[in-house]
Amino acid sequence: MFEKFKELICNYVDVDADSITEESRFIEDLGFNSYDFMSLLGELEQEFDVMVDEQEVINLHTVGDAVKYLEKLSK
């Protein structure tokens, strides 16, 4: 899931997939703005067939946080 998530991130921001780690922060390290982040969440819902709770995603600050959240939703 992490590798696929990195590919999706690269659709929204200009970063090298190899530089993305679980500790990468969406805004500070990867350069996401709020619109890009919400667009990414929409794509994640389609890609992984999950429903993201907008109240919970405000607590996702790193790629690792998001991967763990997605894994929890996928179960």
Side-chain angles (χ1 to χ4, degrees):
M1 182 176 284
F2 178 61
E3 292 302 316
K4 181 61 180 173
F5 192 50
K6 289 190 334 184
E7 289 176 28
L8 295 175
I9 288 171
C10 291
N11 292 337
Y12 292 91
V13 290
D14 187 24
V15 295
D16 186 298
D18 293 333
S19 69
I20 300 171
T21 67
E22 289 193 14
E23 291 78 30
S24 297
R25 297 170 296 176
F26 288 105
I27 296 169
E28 297 88 344
D29 300 326
L30 301 176
F32 270 84
N33 61 38
S34 58
Y35 177 78
D36 290 334
F37 187 70
M38 294 309 288
S39 297
L40 172 65
L41 292 176
E43 189 169 349
L44 291 172
E45 286 181 325
Q46 291 177 348
E47 183 70 33
F48 296 107
D49 194 29
V50 295
M51 282 298 287
V52 173
D53 182 334
E54 292 183 18
Q55 295 300 318
E56 290 186 30
V57 298
I58 59 172
N59 298 316
L60 305 179
H61 301 288
T62 68
V63 172
D65 292 342
V67 169
K68 287 176 191 156
Y69 177 68
L70 287 171
E71 287 173 342
K72 182 179 88 173
L73 290 179
S74 296
K75 292 181 180 177

